[in-house]
Structure formats: C-alpha cells, structure tokens
Amino acid sequence: MNQLYLRIIVDLVIFAGIFIFPWWFPLVLAIFCLFLFKGYFEVFLVGFFLDILYGAMVLPFFKTNILFTIICAVAFLISFFAKRNLSAYSS
C-alpha cells in the first residue's frame, strides 16, 4: 500500500477516533504515527481537536486549557530529535 494512502487512512481513523474512542486512544495513536511517518504534522490538529472536546483548565498558574496541544507539540519535538539519533531512521 502506498505510504500516502496509509497516512490518509490512519488520519481518518484518528480523527474519527477523537469522537468515538476515549481521549487517550487517538492521542496514543497520533504519537505512534510520529515515529511511523516522516513529518507527521497532523499531530498538532489532533491535539487541537482533543483540547476543543476534552480540554479543561488544568494549569491554573498559566490559565491555559491547551494541555493536549502542548503534549502533542512536546511529543513532536521529542520524535524529531529522536529520529535523528536512532539508527532505524538513518538514511
């Protein structure tokens, strides 16, 4: 199967899963996809939609409710730097 088609199917599963499954399932699947696909920027949209649906004031000192977006951004940065140093991703 072509990598693009697989990515589209996984994206549809994740975004449908935001509405169907508990909050942790699409989050874990999106973080897994960070290591499966190159440049998986969809993780930011997953975090945004999870914040819209499940977001709450969790950081009272910063008065923010974007916890899932922050988690996805940190996971993206970790995967970006981890992929540089892992031999499985070397060209």
Side-chain angles (χ1 to χ4, degrees), residues 3-4 22 29 32 37 44 55 71 88:
Q3 189 79 3
L4 178 64
L29 189 57
F32 174 74
F37 300 114
F44 295 111
I71 290 171

Side-chain angles (χ1 to χ4, degrees), residues 3-54:
Q3 189 79 3
L4 178 64
Y5 292 132
L6 179 63
R7 189 170 178 155
I8 291 171
I9 291 170
V10 170
D11 285 341
L12 291 174
V13 168
I14 290 173
F15 286 112
I18 290 174
F19 299 104
I20 297 170
F21 300 117
W23 63 267
W24 55 268
F25 184 76
L27 183 66
V28 170
L29 189 57
I31 291 173
F32 174 74
C33 289
L34 282 171
F35 291 96
L36 184 63
F37 300 114
K38 183 177 181 180
Y40 192 72
F41 297 107
E42 291 93 332
V43 74
F44 295 111
L45 288 175
V46 171
F48 177 72
F49 285 121
L50 284 173
D51 280 329
I52 289 174
L53 290 175
Y54 302 110

